[in-house]
Amino acid sequence: MKYSQYPYERIDLDKFKTIIEFMIGNFKSAESADTQIKIIQEYQKIQKEYHSYGSIAHLNFARNTKDKEAIKENKFYDEIGPEIAAIDNQFTKAIDASKFKEDLLSEFGKHYFDLISMELKSFDPKLVDLMKQENELSNEYRSLLAGAEIKYKGKTLNLAGLSPYMQDTNRETRKEAFTLLDRFFNENEEKLDNIFDKLVKIRHKKAQVLNFDNFIPLGYLNMNRSDYGAAEVSDYRKQIVKHVVPLVEKINLKRKEILGYDEMFVYDTLYFKEGNPKPKGGVDFQVSQAKTMYSELSKETDDFFNMMINEELMDLDNRAGKSGGGFCTSFPSLERPYIFANFNGTDHDVTVLTHEAGHAFQCYESRKQPVNRYLWPTYEACEIHSMSMEFLTWDWMHLFFKEDTEKFLFKHIAGSLAFLPYGALVDHFQHWVYENPNASPKERKNQWLELEKIYQPGKNYDNLDFLKNGGFWQKQAHIYEMPFYYIDYTLAQVCAFQFWIRMQEDKESAWKDYLELCKAGGSMSFLNLVKLANIKSPFDSKVFEEVANKINDWLEKNSL
Ligand SMILES: [Zn+2]
C-alpha cells in the first residue's frame, strides 16, 4: 500500500475513553496473568492505530503547513494528545499494580517496567492543561519559522531555502544570507522571546505540580533516561571540553589556512575554497544512487529501501509552506516508517538521507517487537542507528559526490566532530535555563554567550546583531520543542564514531552488530543497547581519548 492510500480518521475521543476504561476494568478483575497479557496486547493494537492516525495528521501538516485541512487535523491530534496520555496513564497504573506483576515482567521484560515507572513519575492528570498550552506554543514557534518569507536575489525563500547561500563560495553572498537570517530573527525577537519564556514557565510549573525543585529531573524522566542523570552528563560535557574542543580548534585553524582568511567569521562555513562538495544531482538522482548503495550494503537494506521507494514513504524536496528540517516518523499499525526532509542541493541532503534512513531502517527492523514501548528506543539510542548509518555508507559516497568524495568525507568527519561541542553547549544552556526559570530573555542570551566561550571559543559573529547578542540558540528547534533532547545526538555520535572506526577494521562484524542493534529496537536501556552493539559507553572516560586520537590520525593523513 502506498502512503496516499493509508486509511485515516479522527478517533472518537469519548468512544476511545469508554473502550479503554472498560478494558482497564477487565484488566483489574482478571483472574490470570494470561488474561492480563491478552488485554495488554489488545490495548497495544488500539494504541498503534491511534499513533498511526496521529503520525499521518502531523506529517500531512509538516508537508504543507498552509493546507487548511491539514492544519485542522494536526490541531485535533495535538489537542487530544494530553487526554490520551491521561487515559494511558490510568492503564499504566493498573499494569504497575497488577497482582501478576512477576508474570508480566517475565513476559515483557524488566525494561518495560522501568519505562512504566518513569512514566508514572512524570505524569499527573493535573498536567493536561499545561501540556496543551505547551503544544500550542511549540506549534506557534514552528509556524513562525516555517512562515519565514525572505526576499533574496529575486526569490522568496524560507529558512531552508536560504541555506545554500550560507554555503556559497562567494564570501559576500554568504554574509548577505547570514545577514538576512539575522534580520529575520531580529524582527521576530519579541515573539521568540515570549514563546520561550512562556514555555520555561509552563515546564517549571509542571515540575512543581510533581514536587520537583525544577524541570531538570522531569525533563530527564520525559526522555526516559534510566541509566544516567544530570551529574553523569555534566562530567561527560567536561570530557568534550577537554578532548574535543582543542581538536575542533585545530580543524578550524586548518580551514582558515585552506580558505586563506585572516579572520574566520560565523558565515565562513566552507571547508574548501572552491566551496563545499555538493551532490551531483537533485532528489531523483540521490534516491537512485541510494537505491544502488542500499542494494550493495546488505540484503536487509535492499529490501528496506525498495519498500521506501515503492510505497512512497519519502518526501524529500523543499517546497514553500513545507515545515523545515528532517525527521523520520512511523505508522506502527501498518509497520512502516516515513522519511521527511528538505533537500537544498548541499551535501547536507546526503547526510540527511542516510541519517533518516538509519532511523527508518531501525524502525522497520524492530517492527515486530512485542511491546509498543520497544518499537523505538530512547532518543540517544535512536541516534546511534541514524548517525552510524551515515558512516556505514561511506564506501558508497562516490555515487553521490564523484570527484568530490574525498572532500565530502573530510567535511563529514570534521563536521561531526565539531558538532560535539555545540551539542554540549545546547545541553549546558538548557540546564542553566531550567535551573533559573525566572531569568529574563536578556539574561538567557548573556548566559548563552558565556557558555559559547567554553564550547566554541573564537566564534565570531562579525556585525550580525541578533546572533552577536546571544540569540543563536533561538533557531535550534529542540530547545523550544523537545527540552533536553540534544545531548542525545552527541552521546550517539560518540557511539557512531566507534562504528566508523570498526568499519575501517572489520566491516562484516561492524554491520552484524549494527543490524542486531536495530532489531533490538527499544527493548533495552541506552547503555545496555550500547553493550549489545559491542561498543563502549560514551560515559567511559577513555572513550574520548581513543576516538579523538583516531580522528586526529585520519585527518592528518587525509588533510586535503
Ligand atoms: Zn536523528
Side-chain angles (χ1 to χ4, degrees), residues 311-525:
E311 300 183 14
E312 295 171 0
L313 297 171
M314 296 187 279
D315 179 355
L316 306 174
D317 58 337
N318 173 30
R319 302 182 298 270
K322 188 172 165 181
S323 174
F327 60 81
C328 169
T329 186
S330 68
F331 318 106
S333 59
L334 300 147
E335 301 188 338
R336 291 295 184 270
Y338 191 101
I339 297 177
F340 177 95
N342 278 278
F343 280 18
N344 58 19
T346 65
D347 59 305
H348 191 56
D349 294 355
V350 178
T351 22
V352 169
L353 182 60
T354 51
H355 181 101
E356 300 307 335
H359 285 309
F361 181 68
Q362 173 263 304
C363 175
Y364 185 62
E365 288 303 314
S366 62
R367 67 194 181 280
K368 301 283 184 205
Q369 281 287 341
V371 174
N372 285 2
R373 287 178 174 83
Y374 292 173
L375 293 176
W376 291 104
T378 46
Y379 288 108
E380 70 300 62
C382 270
E383 296 303 335
I384 306 178
H385 310 117
S386 54
M387 291 175 150
S388 302
M389 183 64 99
E390 294 178 31
F391 292 132
L392 292 165
T393 50
W394 258 33
D395 282 354
W396 291 270
M397 285 300 113
H398 63 277
L399 294 174
F400 300 89
F401 294 100
K402 312 273 176 190
E403 69 278 8
D404 291 332
T405 304
E406 298 302 312
K407 285 183 186 164
F408 169 76
L409 299 182
F410 178 80
K411 178 176 182 270
H412 188 201
I413 198 83
S416 301
L417 192 77
F419 172 74
L420 294 180
Y422 175 69
L425 162 63
V426 168
D427 182 67
H428 199 151
F429 175 68
Q430 295 192 85
H431 280 83
W432 186 89
V433 164
Y434 295 105
E435 269 163 14
N436 300 279
N438 295 316
S440 68
K442 178 86 196 124
E443 285 168 326
R444 288 189 193 114
K445 286 177 188 163
N446 288 339
Q447 183 61 26
W448 174 264
L449 291 177
E450 280 310 306
L451 292 173
E452 246 181 12
K453 286 182 201 151
I454 302 170
Y455 293 96
Q456 299 186 309
K459 192 161 189 184
N460 191 334
Y461 291 110
D462 198 0
N463 53 9
L464 299 166
D465 277 340
F466 180 81
L467 297 178
K468 204 165 70 181
N469 289 320
F472 192 93
W473 59 272
Q474 293 188 297
K475 64 192 195 75
Q476 192 62 61
H478 301 70
I479 298 180
Y480 280 77
E481 298 176 2
M482 294 279 278
F484 290 109
Y485 179 14
Y486 215 71
I487 201 68
D488 306 70
Y489 292 107
T490 75
L491 292 166
Q493 189 66 266
V494 178
C495 298
F497 280 141
Q498 295 179 65
F499 269 113
W500 175 76
I501 293 168
R502 290 187 54 194
M503 274 301 272
Q504 296 168 46
E505 289 161 357
D506 181 353
K507 280 193 180 60
E508 209 173 302
S509 88
W511 175 257
K512 202 176 136 263
D513 283 339
Y514 177 79
L515 187 59
E516 252 347 277
L517 180 71
C518 289
K519 287 189 168 153
S523 58
M524 297 175 200
S525 69

